[in-house]
Amino acid sequence: MGDLIRSEEMVLCHLFIPSEAAYFVISELGEVGLLQFRDLNKNLQNFQRNFVRDVQMCYTMERRLRYIKSQVQESKIKIFTSPESAKARLSPNEITALKMQIKQAEIEIRRLTQNALDLKTYSLQLSEFKCVLQKAEEFLKKRDEIFGFDSTYKTSIDFLQVIGTDQLNFITGVVAKERVVAFETTLWRMSKGNAYFKREDIDEPLIDYTTGQKKYKTVFLVCCHGDKQFLKLLKLCEGFRASLYTCPTSHMERKRLIQSIDKRLDDLELVINQTDAYRRKFLFSVAQQLQHWTIMVRKIKAIYHTLNYMNMDVTGKCLIGECWVAVRDIPAVKQALADGSSSSISVSPFLYVVNTKELPPTYNKTNKYTKGFQNLIDVYGIATYREANPALYAIITFPFLFAVMFGDVGHALVMIIFALYLIRIEKKVEELQIRGEIFEIFFAGRYMILLMGLFSCYTGFIYNDIFSRPMNVFGSRWFVDFNRSTLAGNEDMELDPGVHYKGTPYVFGMDPAWGMKISIIIGVLHMILGLSLSIINYRHVNFHVTFNSDIRRYFNERHCIYLEYIPRLILLCTLFLWMVVMMFMKWIMFSASNTDVQFGTACAPSILVNFIDMMLVRRTTKAQFPGCNPYLFQNQPEVQMVLLLICALTIPVMLLGKPLYILYERKHHAKMSGMTDEASGQVVTENIEVNGKTTANEKPSETGSINAKDNDKNKAAGTDKTTANENPSETGSINARDNDKNKSVGADKTKEGTSDKKEAEEKENSESFGEIMILQVIDTIEYALGTVSHTASYLRLWALSLAHNELSEVLWGKLLSMGTANNGGYFGGLLMFLSFFMWMFFTVSILIIMEGLSAFLHTLRLHCN
Amino acid sequence: MGADVAPLVGFTLFWGLIGGALPFAVPKSPNRGIIQVALIMTAACCWLFWLCAYMAQMNPLIGPRLDRNHLLIIAREWGNQIKD
């Protein structure tokens, strides 16, 4: 896992697998997870690929599983998860069995759900009917009461019987409450006032099972005259989606009906409950398997996708695939191959390493601790193959820079506790797969947060800040020596370092006598830090790219060190390192206790003025006080001139060094390979054919190789050699279209060597000199201005730390002090509680979260230098 | 110089130990390289930070400006009474 210095060494491999074993082998390889397959069938449509039916089957299974999952979650059943994931090593029979299982489960669930729905709808209808009957009773009772008949039964029977026999039709039904008014009006209009309408609201709402919502309904009774009217009435009811129920005419019958409905409803409820219970049980049993199935299906799908990437060879017995593997992992891959093909296979699969000029992918092996940092660095851009990996240093520099901006022991402790909590629930989160965007972000960075907290604790100690209060651990180095009368007379006094300073500084951190941070000193400190960090970056980037032995560009990169890196370093040092040196000198040389006035406190020269004058090539004449030396030491102006001269000399070196060297090398090599005429002639033709810039950073698979192919054909001499290269490398299996594949399959190393050379040379020649020059100018300007701007941007470290301190002081002073300073009995207690709560709330939200995030952001920006 | 030798040597030795000697003691594991780099860089950064804070206060060119209340408190708490 360890080597994060640079990305892993990768090789391109060909995989030959016999068709019968293909599925198993790929499943084993998938479990190991160390290969990246290349799609050999890119030009095929999806439906033309070999294993399209199987992939289709997987999609169907996934769809079914999704449905099942939604049903399970709706019923609020917990899905059983286990930390182990199943292997998808299945025989074709087993796959079919799995497919059947899933299908059965889905069908069963659908059936049960539908049943439940049907039953519930039926019960709804029954309850509506019951309501209708009950209300009808009431209608008639009321009517009788109005007319004052003594025998209610008799009258109601008569009433309805009269209706029934005398060509009057009536219907009863239920309609939604919000529609009843419209219903009545339409009825009135339609029947021209000749219909008899009575309605009554149902008090409790009824559940509509299709939508799951409760609705208010109204019972109505309509009488009308004649068949045609009746038909129109029916149509109207249909339009308003009223449910109709036939109400029996006699009272006894109604009563009997109500009783039977009641009984039916009770039975129905039992049945519904049982159905529900059964459904739940079934869902529960399915839920046990659900995760297992989901993982299996996903693995099967992945296996078939991978198989689709591979090609079938001409005999039809073997599958061939291309993949990138890390050199370190080859034994593990071979082991997986052996595992996958254990049984009765005649030919065993094998891995064959191929030499290629292509740029392999960047692969950084990370474990759970380093993953967060690698991700962070990748945000800026993924490093090219075998480039030095900044993530290694970022593990420490990132938290450190953050801490410099955040230094406060109190807040740091809160951060540490939070990070430790996240780490503690690590396992649980992985298992339960708790998802939530913001939580995931914090969780992924838990180790980073821990480190940031620890470093902040340290810097907090040095800044002497704990929730913005300083500590006095080691004894302050300042003491007070005033008379009472002096104090009485002055509002504030400045402590004179000559008198009141004990002579040696506070041992660890800022002396508690200072209330506030000393801003300039911290700013300087940050600049020094930034300087050293950027030097490290440059040194490593150039260093490793140069001595890289894998992808060796034809022109040796060693010249880069002398022509680029060293001038850059010198530029940086002569200007900014000099400023740093001056700062250190000032700290050491000038003090209050020094007897020589020249080196006393009053005479300390301003470094800023000195530096500006140095850049403007001007002598500093104005000293702090008359009689003082404007410079730090004798001969300083001369030293500064020399430094400036050296710095100025580096610029032409950076500008012209590399292009001139490249020019020289080309001429040199053209002479060496004895093709001077062609070389010079070539330069002209190839310039015209330039097809985009190809540098080592771009993947030259398409453009670069096509370029090379065209140039190959155009070349007079050496054509025989190169075409001879291409022909034997066309093995039967691979599509003969892409020439870069041909080159990469090429078995003979020596032939490969010469064609490489030509290819690389053509690539180089294809960049015209003008282009190189322009690039170099841009590079130089970018670097020179960059040094100034990046150095200045480190001042944000100081700015943010100051802001943080001020904010926390404000919170303390205004909130907590006010709250706790109150000494009054009961009320004071309440106030203290409230003020502490407010203070804690603001501290956590503003200072820790907001400041933390902003410091994080700025640190990220600094790392992107 | 206004520097006390003891803290200077002490802290330099402390961080020097962490950055220079401890990396050799890291047990052989796949993460050995990372841990070594982390130790060295931590030691370097922390030492540098401490050094700057220390050196900046070594020869102070100005003193803090404190108001009367503060001065009285300092006088009482830190052991030097106000003379009359």
Side-chain angles (χ1 to χ4, degrees), chain A residues 156-396:
Chain A
S156 50
I157 292 175
D158 288 345
F159 176 64
L160 281 179
Q161 273 174 347
V162 162
I163 291 176
T165 53
D166 198 13
Q167 284 291 337
L168 277 179
N169 301 315
F170 75 99
I171 54 170
T172 50
V174 168
V175 77
K177 188 169 169 188
E178 53 259 18
R179 296 205 199 107
V180 89
V181 177
F183 185 60
E184 194 174 350
T185 354
T186 330
L187 182 63
W188 179 262
R189 286 204 202 113
M190 197 188 68
S191 61
K192 299 186 187 64
N194 280 335
Y196 172 72
F197 180 83
K198 188 108 172 87
R199 64 180 162 98
E200 191 80 32
D201 289 331
I202 304 181
D203 300 320
E204 316 130 2
L206 301 166
I207 302 182
D208 180 3
Y209 284 102
T210 44
T211 57
Q213 284 171 343
K214 295 195 171 188
K215 276 203 175 153
Y216 284 96
K217 305 245 173 121
T218 312
V219 176
F220 65 87
L221 167 93
V222 182
C223 294
C224 66
H225 183 86
D227 282 330
K228 276 211 194 117
Q229 286 269 353
F230 191 61
L231 284 173
K232 272 200 249 175
L233 185 58
L234 284 179
K235 274 266 156 55
L236 183 69
C237 291
E238 211 179 292
F240 275 88
R241 261 176 269 147
S243 340
L244 298 172
Y245 302 98
T246 44
C247 182
T249 48
S250 77
H251 173 77
M252 295 313 308
E253 266 200 48
R254 279 202 297 272
K255 227 175 157 174
R256 248 199 324 243
L257 206 49
I258 289 181
Q259 280 170 350
S260 79
I261 287 181
D262 268 334
K263 210 155 55 123
R264 260 192 281 171
L265 270 178
D266 285 334
D267 288 338
L268 205 55
E269 189 149 337
L270 265 174
V271 174
I272 288 180
N273 282 341
Q274 275 182 347
T275 321
D276 263 339
Y278 180 68
R279 183 164 168 271
R280 262 190 91 77
K281 213 162 59 151
F282 186 77
L283 281 177
F284 188 73
S285 73
V286 168
Q288 306 289 92
Q289 311 250 16
L290 196 61
Q291 197 222 18
H292 181 85
W293 283 346
T294 320
I295 293 178
M296 298 267 267
V297 169
R298 215 178 287 159
K299 285 192 182 178
I300 295 175
K301 191 167 72 158
I303 293 177
Y304 280 116
H305 271 306
T306 314
L307 283 173
N308 270 338
Y309 283 166
M310 303 172 77
N311 261 325
M312 194 70 95
D313 78 335
V314 276
T315 60
K317 284 212 208 108
C318 196
L319 277 177
I320 304 186
E322 251 183 42
C323 51
W324 291 105
V325 196
V327 169
R328 200 202 287 255
D329 293 328
I330 290 189
V333 170
K334 292 209 166 133
Q335 180 63 30
L337 281 179
D339 282 339
S341 64
S342 49
S343 47
S344 55
I345 313 294
S346 49
V347 187
S348 58
F350 60 94
L351 192 74
Y352 175 63
V353 175
V354 188
N355 281 324
T356 173
K357 273 297 151 197
E358 286 174 35
L359 200 64
T362 311
Y363 176 43
N364 287 311
K365 265 204 196 277
T366 52
N367 53 17
K368 67 177 176 178
Y369 303 107
T370 53
K371 192 154 167 220
F373 298 102
Q374 187 66 50
N375 277 343
L376 201 64
I377 299 292
D378 284 345
V379 162
Y380 178 58
I382 300 188
T384 55
Y385 180 66
R386 296 296 270 180
E387 196 180 3
N389 186 7
L392 179 61
Y393 314 105
I395 298 179
I396 295 295

Side-chain angles (χ1 to χ4, degrees), chain A residues 480-726:
Chain A
V480 174
D481 193 18
F482 297 118
N483 285 334
R484 203 181 282 276
S485 52
T486 327
L487 277 181
N490 295 320
E491 276 285 330
D492 49 30
M493 299 283 295
E494 195 170 304
L495 298 179
D496 183 358
V499 176
H500 300 118
Y501 179 57
K502 280 192 194 161
T504 54
Y506 191 67
V507 171
F508 191 79
M510 294 286 154
D511 199 304
W514 289 97
M516 220 175 75
K517 292 200 214 305
I518 310 171
S519 44
I520 300 181
I521 295 177
I522 306 288
V524 160
L525 187 145
H526 298 171
M527 283 203 283
I528 298 170
L529 205 67
L531 220 65
S532 356
L533 283 177
S534 58
I535 290 183
I536 294 176
N537 273 339
Y538 287 126
R539 183 169 280 150
H540 275 273
V541 167
N542 284 330
F543 189 71
H544 290 293
V545 166
T546 310
F547 291 113
N548 190 341
S549 55
D550 296 310
I551 300 288
R552 190 186 285 282
R553 296 197 55 195
Y554 187 64
F555 292 110
N556 200 333
E557 295 285 353
R558 213 171 285 245
H559 70 275
C560 264
I561 296 190
Y562 301 121
L563 296 172
E564 266 189 7
Y565 163 62
I566 289 193
R568 288 183 179 183
L569 188 62
I570 294 179
L571 183 74
L572 203 60
C573 285
T574 53
L575 292 181
F576 297 102
L577 197 59
W578 171 243
M579 187 156 72
V580 168
V581 166
M582 279 204 286
M583 284 173 196
F584 270 100
M585 285 178 72
K586 188 169 166 185
W587 279 344
I588 296 177
M589 286 170 33
F590 292 86
S591 83
S593 50
N594 219 318
T595 42
D596 187 0
V597 150
Q598 286 274 341
F599 290 111
T601 51
C603 266
S606 160
I607 294 185
L608 204 58
V609 172
N610 273 348
F611 192 69
I612 293 177
D613 285 336
M614 168 176 157
M615 296 306 284
L616 294 177
V617 196
R618 185 173 74 182
R619 275 186 179 269
T620 318
T621 46
K622 190 162 175 283
Q624 298 286 81
F625 274 111
C628 288
N629 191 352
Y631 288 108
L632 281 172
F633 58 92
Q634 277 303 84
N635 301 325
Q636 182 175 347
E638 283 78 28
V639 170
Q640 282 182 181
M641 288 301 257
V642 169
L643 287 175
L644 208 56
L645 202 62
I646 297 177
C647 166
L649 278 178
T650 61
I651 306 246
V653 173
M654 282 197 284
L655 261 179
L656 299 170
K658 192 164 164 200
L660 287 177
Y661 183 78
I662 291 180
L663 207 60
Y664 167 72
E665 281 287 329
R666 281 191 197 164
K667 291 221 180 81
H668 189 58
H669 280 283
K671 268 194 215 119
M672 290 243 299
S673 35
M675 293 190 293
T676 340
D677 307 313
E678 271 147 347
S680 52
Q682 284 307 319
V683 173
V684 175
T685 48
E686 276 144 23
N687 275 341
I688 301 173
E689 287 179 52
V690 151
N691 214 351
K693 193 163 70 78
T694 54
T695 58
N697 286 349
E698 289 174 359
K699 292 211 181 348
S701 47
E702 299 302 316
T703 54
S705 56
I706 293 176
N707 238 348
K709 178 180 166 221
D710 293 338
N711 291 333
D712 265 344
K713 295 267 165 64
N714 284 339
K715 248 189 169 70
T719 320
D720 313 324
K721 236 195 210 165
T722 48
T723 45
N725 267 347
E726 290 167 20

Side-chain angles (χ1 to χ4, degrees), chain A residues 1-2 367 393 396-397 400 455 458-459 462-463 472 476 478-484 487-488 490-495 501 503-511 514 521 525 529 584 587-588 590-591, chain B residues 1-4 7 11 15 30-31 33-34 37-38 41-42 45-68 71-72 74-75 78 80 82-84:
Chain A
M1 208 76 61
N367 53 17
Y393 314 105
I396 295 295
T397 62
F400 183 68
F455 273 102
Y458 179 77
T459 56
I462 292 199
Y463 286 157
N472 190 2
S476 173
W478 296 78
F479 59 91
V480 174
D481 193 18
F482 297 118
N483 285 334
R484 203 181 282 276
L487 277 181
N490 295 320
E491 276 285 330
D492 49 30
M493 299 283 295
E494 195 170 304
L495 298 179
Y501 179 57
T504 54
Y506 191 67
V507 171
F508 191 79
M510 294 286 154
D511 199 304
W514 289 97
I521 295 177
L525 187 145
L529 205 67
F584 270 100
W587 279 344
I588 296 177
F590 292 86
S591 83
Chain B
M1 277 213 316
D4 215 359
F11 275 102
W15 288 118
N31 290 334
I34 300 183
V37 169
M41 290 195 66
T42 311
C45 288
C46 291
W47 176 77
L48 186 64
F49 198 62
W50 171 82
L51 184 75
C52 288
Y54 190 77
M55 284 184 78
Q57 297 185 105
M58 228 162 47
N59 295 318
L61 301 172
I62 52 172
R65 184 174 210 91
L66 302 168
D67 67 336
R68 208 181 330 178
L71 289 172
L72 285 170
I74 287 179
W78 293 352
N80 25 352
I82 299 284
K83 303 185 288 266
D84 273 321

Side-chain angles (χ1 to χ4, degrees), chain A residues 635-825:
Chain A
N635 301 325
Q636 182 175 347
E638 283 78 28
V639 170
Q640 282 182 181
M641 288 301 257
V642 169
L643 287 175
L644 208 56
L645 202 62
I646 297 177
C647 166
L649 278 178
T650 61
I651 306 246
V653 173
M654 282 197 284
L655 261 179
L656 299 170
K658 192 164 164 200
L660 287 177
Y661 183 78
I662 291 180
L663 207 60
Y664 167 72
E665 281 287 329
R666 281 191 197 164
K667 291 221 180 81
H668 189 58
H669 280 283
K671 268 194 215 119
M672 290 243 299
S673 35
M675 293 190 293
T676 340
D677 307 313
E678 271 147 347
S680 52
Q682 284 307 319
V683 173
V684 175
T685 48
E686 276 144 23
N687 275 341
I688 301 173
E689 287 179 52
V690 151
N691 214 351
K693 193 163 70 78
T694 54
T695 58
N697 286 349
E698 289 174 359
K699 292 211 181 348
S701 47
E702 299 302 316
T703 54
S705 56
I706 293 176
N707 238 348
K709 178 180 166 221
D710 293 338
N711 291 333
D712 265 344
K713 295 267 165 64
N714 284 339
K715 248 189 169 70
T719 320
D720 313 324
K721 236 195 210 165
T722 48
T723 45
N725 267 347
E726 290 167 20
N727 285 334
S729 61
E730 282 178 21
T731 54
S733 55
I734 302 176
N735 291 337
R737 257 175 277 180
D738 297 2
N739 278 325
D740 71 323
K741 260 202 288 290
N742 283 343
K743 291 203 187 66
S744 56
V745 170
D748 198 329
K749 213 172 180 184
T750 52
K751 275 198 244 166
E752 187 86 44
T754 42
S755 77
D756 272 353
K757 195 167 134 182
K758 290 200 184 10
E759 183 186 317
E761 190 180 317
E762 281 130 35
K763 253 193 274 181
E764 286 307 314
N765 283 340
S766 67
E767 295 174 6
S768 71
F769 185 71
E771 264 184 55
I772 298 180
M773 197 59 221
I774 292 179
L775 282 172
Q776 197 61 26
V777 168
I778 295 177
D779 253 350
T780 310
I781 297 180
E782 186 189 345
Y783 176 72
L785 294 181
T787 50
V788 179
S789 106
H790 293 325
T791 310
S793 81
Y794 274 93
L795 284 173
R796 74 185 64 214
L797 290 174
W798 156 60
L800 273 163
S801 65
L802 196 62
H804 189 93
N805 187 42
E806 287 296 318
L807 263 176
S808 64
E809 261 203 53
V810 161
L811 275 182
W812 181 279
K814 295 296 169 225
L815 275 180
L816 206 55
S817 294
M818 300 282 192
T820 47
N822 242 322
N823 35 7

